[in-house]
Amino acid sequence: VPLVESGGGWVQAGGSLEVSCAVSGRTASVHALGWFRQTPGKEREFVAAVRRVGGSDYAQSVKGRFTISMNNAASTMRMQMHNLKPEDTGIYYCAGDRSLGPIATREPGYYYWGQGIQVTVSS
């Protein structure tokens, strides 16, 4: 199941950006979609995720600033990011989960991955 990210870009601290993820092919196999991000020298970290049947989870660092949503067909997911900080800078990866369980916040919980998209927040 291909995952294709779009959006992202550059913004000054305090600004807003949106990243989206388009799912094609067997979307019925995707039960949750999430975002991970990675900066140089650091491990990829969980940002947020949303389940097809409802429910979402966020990393503590983005709670209250980021909002994730997904359409019912699980073909499109987007994350609105507000009050961005320089530490939000990184490559954002869309990830898809095939399981019906609770939202996964670790990489092994996801089967499908996008190529990543850059988000840069300048101070």
Side-chain angles (χ1 to χ4, degrees):
V1 177
L3 305 180
V4 179
E5 300 99 338
S6 61
W10 176 90
V11 70
Q12 288 188 321
S16 299
L17 285 174
E18 181 175 299
V19 287
S20 297
C21 178
V23 184
S24 58
R26 297 180 60 187
T27 58
S29 66
V30 177
H31 297 285
L33 287 167
W35 290 100
F36 285 75
R37 66 187 180 193
Q38 187 168 26
T39 54
K42 293 187 177 180
E43 294 185 352
R44 196 152 52 179
E45 64 175 356
F46 172 77
V47 178
V50 58
R51 293 178 67 228
R52 188 173 187 167
V53 296
S56 58
D57 197 6
Y58 297 88
Q60 190 63 39
S61 61
V62 306
K63 279 183 179 178
R65 300 188 297 121
F66 291 12
T67 302
I68 191 170
S69 61
M70 177 168 62
N71 66 351
N72 291 336
S75 60
T76 303
M77 178 266 283
R78 69 175 190 171
M79 184 167 69
Q80 296 174 306
M81 305 180 290
H82 300 292
N83 190 22
L84 283 161
K85 304 176 181 180
E87 51 264 42
D88 293 317
T89 294
I91 298 175
Y92 282 66
Y93 295 90
C94 177
D97 185 0
R98 299 186 302 180
S99 74
L100 294 170
I103 288 176
T105 60
R106 302 178 65 184
E107 288 187 53
Y110 292 85
Y111 187 80
Y112 306 109
W113 289 88
Q115 294 299 307
I117 192 165
Q118 181 70 42
V119 170
T120 302
V121 185
S122 64
S123 57

